[in-house]
Amino acid sequence: MFRILTLLVALCATPAMAAPNGTVRVIDADTIDVGGTRVRLFGIDAPEMGQPCSADGRQWDCGAWTRDAVRNRFEGTYARCQQRDIDRYGRVVAQCTVDGQDMGQLIVYSGMAWAFRRYSETYDLDEKAAAIAERGLWAVDVQMPSDFRATQFADEPVPDRNCAIKGNISSSGRIYHMPGQEHYDRTRINPANGERWFCTQAEAEAAGWRAARR
């Protein structure tokens, strides 16, 4: 009896993973709002906004191009999602279906994103089908998003040498890194995601960031 009660208490104390369902608003080719919840689609990776792609001597914004294609297909539809995780920016990571069809699968199959094999092999065959047919991204010259992100934030300058504290957002929350700390050099600041620089520890803590442990 004691073991049963202990198990019931543990189950009650463990929060259930949310399952956002609702109308889709497309942010980019791998990020959507579902009924007001920001969702990063599980297992796929799409070009960043502003990331260039080119073909036949022309160049354009690959992020906007793939976003518009996904928007034309899914904007305003009703999605049902199964949460898989929470990412470092606080977004729900989920697999979502529209009319019983997997959104991630359709996006990768149409060539508007790649299978994100770092996290899952779920859409590996769909990517290969798109590559063979030279659909979407497979018909243009474009960097992998991970490589583009690495070059974008590789050597970001300190905006003010007196304000060199890095306010990073991760799965652990809002954490600031001081110059000289273990993870300072490899921490990248992306203001578009709400990350920022601070001049003093007091300023960082007043804004809701906490100190890195090392």
Side-chain angles (χ1 to χ4, degrees), residues 18-24 32-35 39 41 74 77-84 92-104 123:
N21 301 319
T23 302
V24 172
I32 60 177
D33 281 349
V34 178
V39 173
L41 292 172
F74 293 110
T77 59
Y78 189 89
R80 300 180 183 276
C81 302
Q82 181 178 6
Q83 182 172 327
R84 302 293 297 270
V92 172
V93 178
Q95 285 180 278
C96 298
T97 60
V98 170
D99 296 328
Q101 295 183 298
D102 186 319
M103 289 183 68
Y123 305 117

Side-chain angles (χ1 to χ4, degrees), residues 108-163:
V108 172
Y109 186 80
S110 66
M112 291 294 108
W114 293 273
F116 208 171
R117 293 182 182 82
R118 175 180 172 186
Y119 297 103
S120 173
E121 297 281 340
T122 302
Y123 305 117
D124 178 69
L125 294 179
D126 301 293
E127 181 185 285
K128 288 175 180 174
I132 291 169
E134 295 186 342
R135 286 191 289 266
L137 295 165
W138 296 99
V140 303
D141 293 320
V142 59
Q143 255 185 321
M144 293 299 289
S146 55
D147 294 334
F148 178 77
R149 289 190 291 265
T151 58
Q152 285 295 100
F153 306 116
D155 299 303
E156 80 263 4
V158 177
D160 182 337
R161 65 181 182 180
N162 296 316
C163 300

Side-chain angles (χ1 to χ4, degrees), residues 14-90:
T14 303
M17 298 191 85
N21 301 319
T23 302
V24 172
R25 184 170 74 90
V26 175
I27 307 303
D28 58 36
D30 58 27
T31 308
I32 60 177
D33 281 349
V34 178
T37 298
R38 184 60 51 91
V39 173
R40 176 66 161 81
L41 292 172
F42 172 78
I44 75 173
D45 200 17
E48 299 291 334
M49 299 301 295
Q51 180 176 342
C53 53
S54 60
D56 301 323
R58 298 182 302 113
Q59 182 171 296
W60 63 94
D61 185 334
C62 222
W65 175 51
T66 54
R67 175 204 61 199
D68 291 346
V70 173
R71 184 172 284 169
N72 288 339
R73 173 63 179 83
F74 293 110
E75 186 79 10
T77 59
Y78 189 89
R80 300 180 183 276
C81 302
Q82 181 178 6
Q83 182 172 327
R84 302 293 297 270
D85 202 354
I86 296 289
D87 74 6
R88 60 181 296 188
Y89 303 115

